[in-house]
Amino acid sequence: MDVRVRYAPSPTGLQHIGGIRTALFNYFFAKSQGGKFLLRVEDTDRERYTDESLQDLYDTLEWLGIKWDEGPVVGGPCGPYIQSERFDLYKQYAEQLVRDGKAYYCYCSSERLEKVRQEQIASKSEYQGYDRHCANLTEEERKAYEAQGIKPVIRLRVPTEGKTTFHDVLMGDITRKNKDVSPDPILLKSDGFPTYHLANVIDDHLMGVTHIMRAQEWIPSGPLHILLYEAFGWEPPVYCHLPMVMGKDGQKLSKRHGSTAVRDFRAKGYLPEAIINYVTLVGWSLDGSREFFTREELEKCFTMEGIHKAPAVFDYKKLDWFNGQYIRAAENSRLAELVTPYLIDAGFVSDPVTAEEKELIDRLVPSVKERMKVLSDVVDLTRFLFRDVPVEDKSVYVSKGSDIDKTAEALAKGSAILLSGLREGKDESSIEESLVELSKQLEVKVNGVFQPIRVAITNSTVSLPLFDSIRLLGLEETEKRINRSIRLFEENHNG
RNA sequence: GUCUCCCUCGUCUAGUGGUUAGGACAACGGGUUUUCAUCCCGUCAACGCGGGUUCGAUCCCCGCGGGAGAUGCCA
């Protein structure tokens, strides 16, 4: 049997970590089995649907490099793959169920349903859900409702006796008494659209889906879906419920834990390979020790057995670590391209970049890549190259263990050594030696000499390596900034 | 409330009827280094609890506790 799995998101919001994790698991499982990965858009909720969400779905999967074998855009033998385009289908199947006595029309208004719900809660009796008010209407009663112009919904007739079991690859058998299954859930809404349960089961069957890998939040409705398969006389697929992705507080990961939209991670400068790698490791492992995987490797070595049962907390810091690792491993030319939009957004370079700017970006990448966790870090790291905001507070120039006078002297003498050395073309290590020598004379730590010079040049105590900074800034600008700082100290001294 | 699922360091996880319970992130400390990073080394840190079964349980069984999810004309 050829494996066919699907990712079936609802375009009612941006693609988030949890959703994409499900997509990845399905995708990797399909690839590892030589099967097919389908994409199906479950846009049956007209209230919450947005075009933006749908576009975000496509954009996100493309960015991650996840291609679907069948689905919207690419088509396939079981299309259409967008549920709103299969509108008529669901109604037919739902009516068939009614004819077979497996489902029935319900004319209850949402007001009445709400009232029933409130009464059940208030009476402290068990909350039982729908009271099956319309389960056994006579033909006359139905006619009367129809005459009032009430549009009915179709509900599944859930048995009140017995129990239903389904098998989960990870969890084993999961059994639920039928009386505990949500009583008579709606299959077809009054607007004619199917609910998730109906559309999902019909499409999975019609599209030949063999394995359903979805989040554990669906476990409680597993028996209901089995009941539906039985009502249709269809063979249910293999189930594999994925552990949920949680936030630090142990609750389902959501916006209040931080960014969850993949689009936001992308904007901050996370690389797709880092997202894929880390997200796949949330709830899955190969052997407990290996943790670097490319997408291509996962397409081969992913296993269902490696999926964990327990929910897993999403660790933003570990993602950062992965991203840093991938940035450092990336080609400089690629990084230069990736970093450019951030420099443009910051207004540091023009859009599009000029040839000179491009050249500068190429040169700054090597020293910046060791220091970035996310691509957007490039802005703070290189600000001194594009914005000159001199440090006026002389105490900033003073390193630990030094003082104002020594700092002034270190700046004057040190920068003289530095600038003349650079002009004469001496190599950096010999200039560095001379500066270290100076620090000994002044009886300060090495940094007592370097810090004032660094602050003068980069306007900050935290910067790229000194010689890198100078090379990027240019000798002329370097000299200008140094002289300005020397003047600052002289003025202060005289005043 | 009811139903279902889950439970190894703070976090992600490996693992076995007998192990010094392993790795990674984080944290902390140290080294390299002109700052910050990177890199390297090290430290801290876990089998939820109580009963059984057993010569021996983290591992098998039962109970408890804790956590989560579901309970919609949302998925």
Side-chain angles (χ1 to χ4, degrees):
Chain A
M1 178 178 67
D2 284 341
V3 166
R4 288 171 67 81
V5 297
R6 46 56 170 188
Y7 176 49
S10 172
T12 53
L14 300 177
Q15 285 300 301
H16 53 93
I17 293 298
I20 224 63
R21 208 275 311 257
T22 299
L24 254 13
F25 279 26
N26 274 283
Y27 172 80
F28 289 137
F29 178 67
K31 291 295 156 190
S32 70
Q33 299 292 308
K36 292 271 194 290
F37 172 67
L38 330 201
L39 179 66
R40 185 172 72 225
V41 175
E42 306 215 331
D43 57 344
T44 54
D45 184 348
R46 298 169 313 143
E47 306 275 314
R48 298 193 303 153
Y49 169 86
T50 64
D51 287 333
E52 187 197 13
S53 304
L54 185 59
Q55 191 56 48
D56 179 68
L57 168 65
Y58 297 149
D59 291 346
T60 298
L61 290 179
E62 186 191 349
W63 181 65
L64 291 172
I66 304 300
K67 292 195 173 68
W68 52 98
D69 300 301
E70 294 175 29
V73 186
V74 304
C78 307
Y81 294 86
I82 295 180
Q83 290 186 329
S84 59
E85 295 174 12
R86 322 179 106 232
F87 186 81
D88 297 333
L89 194 65
Y90 308 114
K91 193 168 190 225
Q92 287 167 28
Y93 278 99
E95 284 170 348
Q96 180 195 316
L97 251 26
V98 173
R99 281 196 301 278
D100 294 347
K102 306 275 176 57
Y104 59 89
Y105 290 104
C106 165
Y107 298 85
C108 294
S109 65
S110 25
E111 290 73 31
R112 195 189 94 80
L113 295 177
E114 183 56 28
K115 199 173 140 233
V116 169
R117 190 173 297 132
Q118 291 309 326
E119 282 171 3
Q120 286 179 352
I121 293 170
S123 72
K124 280 207 295 193
S125 69
E126 282 182 25
Y127 174 66
Q128 304 185 341
Y130 182 55
D131 61 1
R132 296 185 162 99
H133 178 262
C134 298
N136 297 297
L137 294 181
T138 63
E139 196 59 25
E140 289 68 39
E141 289 169 320
R142 268 183 27 90
K143 290 250 171 64
Y145 283 123
E146 295 282 348
Q148 291 175 47
I150 298 174
K151 291 250 179 284
V153 300
I154 292 179
R155 289 181 182 272
L156 179 70
R157 208 182 286 280
V158 175
T160 51
E161 300 289 312
K163 53 192 179 182
T164 302
T165 298
F166 73 98
H167 184 77
D168 183 279
V169 175
L170 264 30
M171 237 65 75
D173 283 343
I174 295 175
T175 302
R176 211 169 167 179
K177 294 192 192 81
N178 288 336
K179 72 174 179 62
D180 292 329
V181 173
S182 173
D184 299 5
I186 292 172
L187 301 178
L188 201 73
K189 308 177 202 175
S190 55
D191 63 4
F193 272 83
T195 58
Y196 168 83
H197 305 295
L198 210 227
N200 194 261
V201 164
I202 291 176
D203 285 347
D204 282 337
H205 174 73
L206 261 28
M207 293 178 182
V209 170
T210 58
H211 296 70
I212 292 185
M213 300 171 80
R214 49 149 55 155
Q216 281 172 4
E217 60 190 332
W218 291 108
I219 287 180
S221 37
L224 166 62
H225 295 163
I226 294 297
L227 253 16
L228 260 174
Y229 279 100
E230 286 174 356
F232 283 120
W234 296 336
E235 194 64 30
V238 175
Y239 286 93
C240 174
H241 285 92
L242 276 16
M244 311 246 301
V245 183
M246 317 300 251
K248 260 271 177 266
D249 58 359
Q251 312 261 321
K252 201 164 142 183
L253 186 67
S254 70
K255 284 193 196 81
R256 63 202 169 76
H257 296 109
S259 294
T260 58
V262 177
R263 177 205 270 183
D264 293 343
F265 285 101
R266 183 182 178 180
K268 270 187 211 147
Y270 288 87
L271 304 185
E273 55 266 47
I275 298 278
I276 286 177
N277 196 151
Y278 178 60
V279 167
T280 304
L281 251 23
V282 175
W284 177 85
S285 74
L286 184 69
D287 57 13
S289 61
R290 178 175 172 189
E291 47 184 10
F292 278 97
F293 299 90
T294 64
R295 196 190 70 229
E296 291 78 6
E297 287 165 343
L298 287 165
E299 287 174 9
K300 290 192 173 60
C301 68
F302 185 85
T303 60
M304 223 179 232
E305 292 69 39
I307 301 173
H308 210 65
K309 282 182 178 181
V313 174
F314 187 80
D315 185 349
Y316 287 83
K317 286 194 172 158
K318 187 139 188 182
L319 205 216
D320 281 348
W321 178 77
F322 266 109
N323 205 53
Q325 295 291 316
Y326 276 103
I327 285 178
R328 257 156 263 135
E331 295 281 345
N332 288 345
S333 56
R334 176 180 171 217
L335 275 181
E337 274 178 38
L338 289 172
V339 127
T340 300
Y342 295 93
L343 297 174
I344 292 174
D345 281 353
F348 290 175
V349 296
S350 42
D351 182 15
V353 293
T354 64
E356 299 88 83
E357 287 168 342
K358 168 89 173 68
E359 192 258 352
L360 176 61
I361 294 171
D362 286 341
R363 285 193 297 130
L364 65 80
V365 161
S367 41
V368 121
K369 78 187 288 189
E370 300 296 317
R371 267 153 265 260
M372 288 192 293
K373 273 195 161 60
V374 290
L375 297 172
S376 55
D377 287 341
V378 74
V379 173
D380 285 338
L381 255 13
T382 62
R383 175 167 280 111
F384 77 101
L385 293 172
F386 306 100
R387 296 279 183 273
D388 184 19
V389 184
V391 175
E392 311 279 3
D393 179 355
K394 62 182 179 177
S395 71
V396 174
Y397 292 76
V398 183
S399 77
K400 229 170 102 184
S402 185
D403 60 38
I404 292 281
D405 292 334
K406 282 179 178 174
T407 299
E409 195 175 352
L411 180 59
K413 289 186 175 169
S415 57
I417 292 169
L418 176 71
L419 292 171
S420 65
L422 287 171
R423 261 189 242 101
E424 290 160 22
K426 283 187 185 163
D427 61 65
E428 287 164 7
S429 59
S430 76
I431 296 174
E432 193 176 323
E433 267 176 47
S434 307
L435 292 175
V436 170
E437 188 56 35
L438 174 64
S439 73
K440 284 176 186 155
Q441 287 168 26
L442 295 175
E443 294 178 318
V444 293
K445 286 179 182 165
V446 178
N447 196 33
V449 170
F450 277 88
Q451 180 157 323
I453 299 175
R454 182 182 313 108
V455 172
I457 294 173
T458 68
N459 301 322
S460 170
T461 53
V462 176
S463 76
L464 302 182
L466 186 60
F467 288 107
D468 286 7
S469 301
I470 295 171
R471 235 177 290 123
L472 292 167
L473 242 198
L475 195 50
E476 192 184 330
E477 177 67 16
T478 298
E479 194 164 353
K480 196 191 97 187
R481 292 188 185 183
I482 285 176
N483 288 334
R484 181 177 62 199
S485 292
I486 290 175
R487 243 176 285 128
L488 173 75
F489 272 83
E490 286 169 353
E491 283 163 16
N492 277 4
H493 197 69
N494 299 337

